[in-house]
Amino acid sequence: MERKEALRKGKSLIGKDLRTLADELGITVFREGKKNKGWAGHVIERYLGLPLNSAQSPNFGSWELKLVSLKYLKTGELTVKETMAITMIDAYNVLNTPFEESHLLQKLKKMLIFARIWEGKNEPRSILYGVYEFDLTNKELYEQIKKDYELVRKTIKEKGFNALTGKIGVYIQPRTKGTGHGSTTRAFYARKNLLKKIIFGK
DNA sequence: CTATGATCATCC
DNA sequence: GGATGATCATAG
């Protein structure tokens, strides 16, 4: 499926409750009291007729599916609930790859962001809010992301991979991520301020 | 066991 | 409420 087509079909889902769709499509949201964290993504994939694929980059070919949770503040304002994982950091790869050719940039160019409204850990319902493309034609975003990438490279080079922390970066941060239990892997995450720009245009 | 996607837990 | 680090589910 082409990216454009996926975007168009995705948009036709806006306003729908992904929870009821999950039931209709036979997607498991909870299993033995535990949440299947990938359920919302699975619903979208199934709806679009895509294979449930967890493999790395070859995702769906010309584009990638990402999900972001939104939530309402007490003031009633809608905001981004969480940062978004983009891709794993490979120290060697990052050190030897300029931003223009980085895995990070390739991912950003391809991704389609599906924003859903999160209402609680028990997922009473979840409305699809919108579908977005990552706008890298926006100079300000592009340049700042590039700076963040360069900062990560510099940090690895001067202080080592383990010096990377989630505190680094303005739009993109290198955050620990792994199976836990002492894992030291890191991944690029999109910070909330960046997601807000893309989703709410501010 | 590890990679990946995404969310949870905790600290401020 | 927001940020950072840790964990969970699943596939290979």
Side-chain angles (χ1 to χ4, degrees), chain A residues 7 25 38 113 144 150 171 195 198-199:
Chain A
L7 182 60
L25 297 174
I113 301 172
Q144 184 57 58
E150 297 295 346
Y171 282 161
L195 295 173
I198 294 174
I199 295 171

Side-chain angles (χ1 to χ4, degrees), chain A residues 179-195:
Chain A
T179 175
H181 312 294
S183 172
T184 58
T185 51
R186 300 276 196 298
F188 284 115
Y189 279 77
R191 280 185 181 277
K192 296 208 281 189
N193 57 1
L194 173 56
L195 295 173

Side-chain angles (χ1 to χ4, degrees), chain A residues 17 26 48 66 73 97 143 162 200:
Chain A
D17 182 353
L48 296 179
K66 290 285 182 189
L73 298 181
T97 313
E143 291 300 327
N162 289 108
F200 305 119

Side-chain angles (χ1 to χ4, degrees), chain A residues 153-182:
Chain A
R153 290 180 73 182
K154 186 166 178 287
T155 302
I156 294 175
K157 189 180 298 181
E158 297 176 2
K159 300 181 181 176
F161 187 71
N162 289 108
L164 292 179
T165 160
K167 296 185 181 68
I168 293 176
V170 177
Y171 282 161
I172 302 292
Q173 64 177 173
R175 189 123 73 93
T176 61
K177 171 188 194 303
T179 175
H181 312 294

